[in-house]
Amino acid sequence: MNILVTGGAGFIGSNFVRHLLAAHPEHSIVNLDKLTYAGNLENLTDVEHLPGYTFIRGDICDRDLIGSLDFDAIVHFAAESHVDRSILDSSPFLQTNVIGTATLLEAARERCCRMLHVSTDEVYGSLPQGLFTEASLISPNSPYAASKASSDLLVRAYHETYGMDLLITRCSNNYGPYQFPEKLIPLVISHALQGKTIPVYGDGQNVRDWIHVADHNRAVDLVFHHAKAGDVYNIGARNEQKNIDIIKTLLAVIAKKTGRDREGLFRLITFVKDRPGHDRRYAIDPAKIETDLSWKPEIPFDQGLSDTVAWYLENRSWWERVISGAYLEYYRLQYGERFGG
Ligand code: NAD
Ligand code: TDX
């Protein structure tokens, strides 16, 4: 099969491309990526020479371009993915996440091909108690989450209207190598290593359900190969953590690995004004994928966090290049000068 992977130069997409090339050498991959601030071909230098891999720079909103590509199935990761950016300006989120997904759906309709849409637990909104199941109400609270929810509803509607072979996965918070250092875990690591303040939104008691990117991608692979048309699967590792606890654990791991003063690192923690519309808690019930596809996460959180810190220590030049002017400008806009420089 020739698989069109969208957003394959981003964090999860590049890890997926690497996974698929190793686990399924029978497939070839066309990686379509616009290379926004979040897309980085350095994420793929170890696999770009492989015969089953092709990169095309382009926009998922470009229907003519997609029409000209050769593929039999789509795995769709491309998105604007950062909640804080969507609060500053929702337009690119609506364009890429909604119009881009609609454009891909039309391309899949023309070819009658399978498309897996990679979505997020954020479409369910905030959860006071219990767990999100696939039947939970779609109730997004940020412009990012609303744009992902809109794309999910389009996928659902195209399946119902045209009987298309479409799948949706909704995963919890990912962490691991190649994550852009605007997201919590790589931000904490990179700020700690630079001696910069670590902004904690609100009281730091918000809960996220964390999963290693490799476990997410094994789940996407299983759904893509084995689910039936119209299926929706939640993906999560039953791993709820408060933000402040993760930050302290990360700083303790960094102190241990680098010999830096632990208390000095802890003094970088700075509570700042809360994110508007900040979801209090996410928690995924992964029972359906565990039962139907015998998937379960393999990477324990403490091991995954320790390996991730080690990766950012060993790949300092990667994240130093990634921290671009645009990234700094965003932090200045949001938090003022002291978080930017
Ligand atoms: P990312 O921001 O790291 O990567 C997104 C990629 O999409 C980048 O390479 C970017 O260049 C590309 N892209 C953006 N707009 C494009 C366009 N118009 N055309 C083509 N390419 C475009 O994101 P990520 O964290 O890897 O997330 C990937 C997907 O997984 C997203 O759909 C996101 O909603 C979903 N997801 C993410 C998480 C998480 O914790 N990061 C959790 C659940 C689901
Ligand atoms: O500097 C920070 N300080 C802070 O307290 C940052 C960047 C985040 N936070 C908090 C906000 C959240 O409660 O940490 C938590 C995690 O924040 P993010 O890394 O921005 O992730 P989140 O908003 O939970 O969304 C993520 O998970 C779902 C991804 O960015 C989405 O793409 C995915 O869909």
Side-chain angles (χ1 to χ4, degrees):
M1 221 191 303
N2 203 9
I3 303 171
L4 178 67
V5 176
T6 71
F11 160 49
I12 305 175
S14 63
N15 280 287
F16 181 75
V17 166
R18 187 174 293 99
H19 163 84
L20 204 68
L21 287 167
H24 295 279
E26 72 277 17
H27 298 322
S28 48
I29 295 177
V30 177
N31 173 11
L32 174 67
D33 198 296
K34 186 177 172 181
L35 299 182
T36 66
Y37 79 95
N40 184 354
L41 290 178
E42 280 185 43
N43 299 0
L44 291 160
T45 42
D46 55 329
V47 295
E48 66 189 5
H49 61 282
L50 294 175
Y53 173 76
T54 309
F55 174 73
I56 308 276
R57 184 173 190 179
D59 192 325
I60 56 165
C61 302
D62 185 341
R63 194 166 170 176
D64 292 341
L65 170 67
I66 294 162
S68 73
L69 301 176
D70 182 21
F71 59 87
D72 318 299
I74 305 174
V75 182
H76 174 35
F77 291 93
E80 288 292 336
S81 69
H82 194 41
V83 173
D84 293 324
R85 287 178 188 264
S86 80
I87 295 167
L88 291 175
D89 180 6
S90 65
S91 331
F93 289 76
L94 302 180
Q95 185 63 23
T96 286
N97 300 1
V98 185
I99 303 298
T101 301
T103 309
L104 289 169
L105 285 167
E106 281 300 320
R109 185 156 83 95
E110 272 165 21
R111 288 165 206 238
C112 301
C113 79
R114 169 161 278 213
M115 172 167 149
L116 186 155
H117 173 63
V118 178
S119 189
T120 170
D121 60 357
E122 298 207 13
V123 299
Y124 298 122
S126 197
L127 187 70
Q129 66 226 350
L131 300 170
F132 294 130
T133 72
E134 290 79 359
S136 295
L137 191 68
I138 302 289
S139 186
N141 290 322
S142 71
Y144 161 71
S147 69
K148 292 295 289 187
S150 305
S151 57
D152 281 28
L153 296 181
L154 279 170
V155 174
R156 178 196 150 84
Y158 270 64
H159 169 70
E160 294 295 327
T161 305
Y162 305 111
M164 286 171 61
D165 183 4
L166 302 175
L167 308 161
I168 298 175
T169 55
R170 297 192 182 121
C171 191
S172 60
N173 282 60
N174 283 223
Y175 70 97
Y178 301 104
Q179 186 166 31
F180 194 92
E182 65 187 352
K183 307 283 172 32
L184 181 68
I185 286 179
L187 179 136
V188 171
I189 300 170
S190 62
H191 278 218
L193 294 178
Q194 296 169 97
K196 284 193 202 169
T197 45
I198 293 166
V200 184
Y201 301 166
D203 61 6
Q205 299 294 311
N206 300 63
V207 171
R208 295 292 181 267
D209 188 352
W210 292 91
I211 184 171
H212 194 278
V213 64
D215 282 329
H216 178 193
N217 280 332
R218 279 192 309 101
V220 170
D221 176 345
L222 279 173
V223 173
F224 177 72
H225 285 98
H226 300 291
K228 61 179 194 314
D231 270 341
V232 178
Y233 281 101
N234 281 353
I235 303 168
R238 301 183 194 274
N239 178 35
E240 291 182 51
Q241 304 280 343
K242 288 180 181 161
N243 292 339
I244 191 67
D245 294 341
I246 292 207
I247 292 167
K248 288 183 174 167
T249 305
L250 280 169
L251 295 178
V253 173
I254 291 168
K256 197 167 167 206
K257 284 191 189 292
T258 64
R260 283 169 205 236
D261 172 43
R262 184 185 145 117
E263 297 316 312
L265 289 174
F266 274 52
R267 280 195 293 277
L268 298 173
I269 294 174
T270 308
F271 289 86
V272 299
K273 71 176 178 190
D274 208 354
R275 170 189 279 174
H278 194 180
D279 288 329
R280 193 66 172 166
R281 172 173 171 256
Y282 304 144
I284 279 274
D285 180 356
K288 185 179 171 195
I289 189 167
E290 288 169 346
T291 307
D292 288 5
L293 303 177
S294 302
W295 172 87
K296 57 178 186 345
E298 289 176 356
I299 303 176
F301 190 54
D302 51 355
Q303 183 63 51
L305 267 195
S306 172
D307 291 351
T308 301
V309 170
W311 189 89
Y312 280 84
L313 283 170
E314 283 157 22
N315 293 277
R316 188 168 179 134
S317 59
W318 177 88
W319 58 262
E320 281 182 342
R321 277 196 295 281
V322 158
I323 297 173
S324 67
Y327 166 84
L328 295 175
E329 179 57 22
Y330 149 72
Y331 268 91
R332 281 191 201 99
L333 278 171
Q334 187 80 323
Y335 297 115
E337 215 49 52
R338 75 197 167 114
F339 293 106

